[in-house]
Amino acid sequence: MTPCAARTFAAALVFTGAAASQPLPPRAPNDLYSPPSKPEGADEDRRACLARLTALGVEYESLTRHEEGACVIDAPIRLEAVAASRGAGTPITFPQRPMIECRLAERLADWLRDAVAPLFQAEFGAALTSVVTGPGYECRRRNRAPDAKMSAHALGLALDISAFKLSNRRSVYADEPDDQRSKNLFDVVRRTACGWFTTVLGPGSPDGFHEDHLHVDLQPHGSRDSYRICQ
Ligand SMILES: [Zn+2]
């Protein structure tokens, strides 16, 4: 080995040693490390939204502002139940207690009370008693694809629904309604969701990522929130 080659070899050893003792952190998407600042008026908005939830008869656990990189929820709650009607009545429960943004809980409460519960009552003569869901908040990109935009789940603005349970012990599942009557009703429920949410996806949607659940969210579309995705 020439002196020059020996120096190069020694330098490589030193470099390797330094790298081994100070491993670099794994690469991650840039926007996971740039949390948005808390918007002005966020505390007031949060208080006002929670007051509206209480007035709607929503049962929830209020949580403090959640921040995990770019995944932020200004007004997170754990959703426990919503009122089934404007008067007295057994609440519709959420056994998974999903963590979602307050505004999404408000919209869900309206939709379930004014559209979904009456449809099940009319078709099956039974009350809607619970909604089986995913966890709500998840700090991830759309469809878990590494280069995709951040998911509405990362802002607490989305919920996945896998089944509706009724007081007559019937369950209507998103992936395989147990009879044609259930399937038809599920399709109607899915269409009504387009009037309450900005995105509605489910079995048969073109992206193929929602075959076993109904995804609803409140993420704005376009620079002026000018369109809806209802598939
Ligand atoms: Zn989803």
Side-chain angles (χ1 to χ4, degrees):
M1 184 179 289
T2 65
C4 182
R7 275 199 301 275
T8 304
F9 182 64
L13 281 178
V14 169
F15 178 79
T16 305
S21 63
Q22 292 180 329
L24 294 171
R27 284 193 64 185
N30 289 337
D31 55 10
L32 286 180
Y33 288 101
S34 52
S37 57
K38 189 173 172 178
E40 208 171 306
D43 289 337
E44 268 178 41
D45 290 348
R46 177 175 175 273
R47 276 193 293 274
C49 184
L50 293 177
R52 292 196 300 273
L53 282 195
T54 303
L56 278 169
V58 176
E59 296 170 28
Y60 61 91
E61 177 189 355
S62 176
L63 306 171
T64 55
R65 184 176 194 265
H66 181 83
E67 189 176 304
E68 186 180 350
C71 305
V72 173
I73 314 180
D74 284 321
I77 64 149
R78 285 211 177 274
L79 183 59
E80 292 170 351
V82 303
S85 64
R86 290 174 191 272
T90 308
I92 302 162
T93 62
F94 288 77
Q96 285 67 38
R97 301 180 75 241
M99 177 174 161
I100 55 175
E101 160 76 30
C102 179
R103 288 169 296 150
L104 178 61
E106 189 179 10
R107 197 62 63 92
L108 282 163
D110 277 342
W111 174 58
L112 292 167
R113 182 194 63 193
D114 291 346
V116 183
L119 280 169
F120 280 116
Q121 187 70 51
E123 183 63 27
F124 293 121
L128 174 60
T129 55
S130 66
V131 181
V132 181
T133 70
Y137 169 78
E138 277 187 85
C139 189
R140 63 171 172 82
R141 295 178 184 279
R142 288 182 188 169
N143 303 328
R144 304 181 195 283
D147 298 323
K149 291 182 181 175
M150 292 304 288
S151 166
H153 286 281
L155 304 173
L157 291 176
L159 188 63
D160 295 334
I161 296 172
S162 53
F164 296 101
K165 297 200 167 194
L166 309 184
S167 58
N168 62 1
R169 300 191 174 203
R170 180 190 285 265
S171 294
V172 176
Y173 295 93
D175 56 349
E176 47 178 76
D178 47 11
D179 55 35
Q180 194 58 42
R181 206 169 151 206
S182 295
K183 183 175 182 342
N184 292 345
L185 187 56
F186 182 84
D187 288 344
V188 173
V189 165
R190 178 172 171 174
R191 299 301 291 179
T192 66
C194 298
W196 272 264
F197 303 96
T198 57
T199 313
V200 178
L201 300 165
S205 291
D207 69 5
F209 285 99
H210 304 85
E211 294 307 305
D212 61 356
H213 63 273
L214 181 66
H215 166 107
V216 296
D217 76 47
L218 281 183
Q219 195 157 49
H221 296 300
S223 56
R224 295 197 206 161
D225 189 19
S226 53
Y227 65 95
R228 301 286 179 262
I229 295 174
C230 177
Q231 297 172 339

